[in-house]
Amino acid sequence: MPKLLRLVPVLLFCVIVSGKVLAQQPAANDTIPTAIDPALEEMINSKNAKEYNLAGIKVTGLKRYDELLLISISGLSVGDKIVYPGGDNFSKAIMNLWNQKLFSNIQIFFIKLDGRDLYIEVKVEERPALSNFSFKGVKKTEQEDLEGKTGLVKGRVVTENTRLTSVENIKKYFVEKGFKSVEVRIDEKLDPNMNNAVILTYDIVKGKKVRINQLNVFGNDNVSANRLKKKFKGTKEMSKLTLYPEAEKPVFGDVKKMTFNEWFTDWGFLSLSKTKELLDPYFRFKLFSSAKYNEKKYEEDKESILEYYNSLGFRDAVIVKDTFYYNKKGNMNIDLKVEEGRKYYFGNTTWRGNTKYSDSILTVLLGIKKGDIYNLETLDKRLGKQLTPEGGDISGLYMDDGYLFFRAEAIESAVYSDTIDHEIRIVEGPQATVRNVTISGNDRTKDYVVRRELRTVPGEKFSRSDVIRTQREIANLGYFNQEKINPNIVPNQEDGTVDINWGLEEKSSDQLELSAGWGGGIGLTGTLGVSFNNFSIKNIFKKTAWDPLPTGDGQKLSIRVQSNGQAFRSYNFSFTEPWLGGKKRNSLTFSVFSTKFSNGGNFFGGFDRKAADTSYLRTLGVSLALGKQLKWPDDFFTLIYSLNYTQYKLRNYPGFFRLDDGTDLANETSTNISLKLTLSRSSIDQPLFPKSGSNFTISGQFTPPYSLFNRDIVNSKNPYKFVEFHKWRFTGEWYVPIGKPMGADRSRQFVLKAAAKYGFMGRYNSKLNYSPFERFQVGDAGLTNNFGLLGYDIIAHRGYPVYSTSDPKINPDQQSASQFFTIFNKYTLELRYPFSTNPNSTIYGLTFFEAANGWYDYKDYNPFRLRRSAGVGMRFFLPMFGLLGFDYGIGIDRYRPGGRLRDAARFTFMLGFEPE
């Protein structure tokens, strides 16, 4: 039978069973025929349900999709039994197709009935696909940002939801930038080059950027508006520059005629308060304040205001209302009205349920006394609801003794006048025992290398401090992403045990140093260095272990070869076994090096190869060190014994080693045999970007006192044939987190680093001059130079070249004679901020202030005579190349009145390690 029987009742049926899907009317050409097949008419008009056989399915309206695929998705198939009226086969089929979001209209028609065999047609209207999209009215950088924020994907179908979502995302993007009145219009056109595809053009009118002109706070009787405004981290007023009228200008002498250099010299680094006093009368400004309005940040800032009030004891403080209005320039004013309420104080604290510790002990540890300002955040922190690595709270006290199931709840037992009494109810629970400890994610590192760092041992009582210490120890291995070290703690309260599953993520810890070049007259120059920090020497002869290198045993192997033609060459090798014997943290390090520095340069910049063989400084050294972890005063301490042998051989080095007493070592050989003892304590949380903890190191290096055994040495031709000295070093570093963690992963936080370093070299015999070896060189970037070959400690000082006198009033740039010091002091303050803590690219910026100096003799020592510098820097840690650093420092004591500030500045660069 021809397609004459498309019936409206069928559509009505579909509307009834799936109303919202078939709310659209048939197309204009789907008219009701005048002649209707009697059998089909009888079926439609029948009120009695009958079963029919689905004999045929036809799909029309397709342009891009396969007919058989759509029939399969619909859930209908030839041979299905259809009940009509009353069945739900067709409504389910329509919903199955509609859920694909590929069609704008779906209709099912009965086209033929042959006995009980029913033939149907499924008519669809495909949604268009997105072939391309673009943006008008915005900058190119904004277009690039929007491409990833709209949610649009080329090739996907375009729905009404697609259009609405993309417009909402565009508006959200610009509203966050301060464009509150942004308007977006979509221009949709068919793509002539694609079948049933459209091109969307978003015409964007950003409007004027809305900035916050004023933020006014009312009702704040106890807290100043300025203090409250400081809590608005994401909502700032516009920067203002207010000039005083001429008549109102205060007079500080003839200020108008002072140059900036005079200000800088007279007041700048001598008195910051005086500088502020000088400048404040002329203008006031806020620097780098962002005044754009962001609704989300504004709501967060309002919460911060209430939290701040709560911390001051105003627990009933509320924001009554906030009003927004605009000035004539279109900028926003915000009026915020608060009701502070009463200021509350802590009253009496009682304890319930505690059997392990007495009330007095818990009260002392809580640290809250009657009469203290009420602060719920402080109370929760002292109870341990906010876990911190430092511990020192009630929860930490219990959990460090195995009480994993411990709970403490503070209940307000009485509120009278301005005082709140608390009853702290404790549920101690049983002591938990560690049952299973598993490790996952260590794809290259052997299990036993990780397990020997664990403080969480099966069979022992659970301890929170052991978990935190284990995290630190694993992070300091340097083999794993410190941000992904996850102790998944699974308590089993039924049997009083706990399982700990350590989740790790390997990172690259090896480093490569590679450079090469060719110098005219010198020859091949270059450096090849490799450091394998997770090596396995026992598998070095196993072919199957080379993938690409034998790794996983936690050993360190370093090889470095450097050459500058015949002018310089250096070979270095070192190996470290951190767990000698495998049972205790006793380290063994063996190293050997050989260097040669030739004096073959000539006046014309060339190189004399023959002179290189007859005028040189050559060193050969061997070192053996044994380290031991101590248990007292605590197990953060390490003691290292190091036996060192170094030979210095000079040939025809005229004047290079002519000492103050007239001794010339230009053709002598000296031997340095020393024992070095180093006591260190390290409690930093991670090696790449420490956020907390400290490092302390004190060392003493001693040679035999040869001149006391043999008095003839003093008057010999070479009194330094066997070098004698004693050298002392101290280094202290502290890392203190500042403020609250920021960023989506809470990994970004300001960190203050404070460091102090001292060095002193002494002599056993006052008749013998100080050793020409093992002295201190201070200044510049701290990179190893030819003096480093002589055992010198190269001490960096940013903002200064290598200085040659202890008098900071004398510009070291103007000195020609070099003195290398026997005493030095150095102090550093750094404020650091991480831009990325990803172990594959750890990046942080810093600002610094340093003060240092060196002295030749103790009688000249003056700890207050220091060279000062300040500046900024960046650090990049790349796994394959180690540390890369840049600093721009201004030597404060290098600046001279009338000179340029940049003449006192210096750019320094570092590679591979943080200099001393």
Side-chain angles (χ1 to χ4, degrees), residues 723-742:
V723 181
E724 65 173 66
F725 63 91
H726 55 92
K727 184 163 74 172
W728 304 84
R729 288 289 308 271
F730 171 81
T731 298
E733 297 175 337
W734 296 263
Y735 298 90
V736 181
I738 305 295
K740 295 182 178 180
M742 296 174 283

Side-chain angles (χ1 to χ4, degrees), residues 73-76 88-98 108:
I73 293 174
S74 71
L76 298 174
D88 61 354
N89 305 67
F90 297 130
S91 62
K92 286 182 177 180
I94 291 173
M95 291 305 299
N96 289 339
L97 293 173
W98 188 260
I108 295 180

Side-chain angles (χ1 to χ4, degrees), residues 854-913:
W855 296 266
Y856 181 72
D857 202 334
Y858 190 77
K859 64 183 180 181
D860 300 323
Y861 177 68
N862 184 347
F864 302 105
R865 178 179 288 180
L866 300 171
R867 290 181 169 92
R868 300 160 294 175
S869 67
V872 297
M874 288 289 294
R875 298 290 183 271
F876 307 84
F877 186 88
L878 305 176
M880 284 297 292
F881 301 100
L883 183 68
L884 180 64
F886 304 92
D887 290 298
Y888 185 80
I890 298 174
I892 298 173
D893 295 292
R894 293 178 65 199
Y895 180 77
R896 295 292 177 264
R900 297 177 301 179
L901 186 64
R902 67 181 183 182
D903 293 335
R906 191 173 182 86
F907 180 83
T908 53
F909 165 80
M910 63 193 68
L911 178 65
F913 63 95

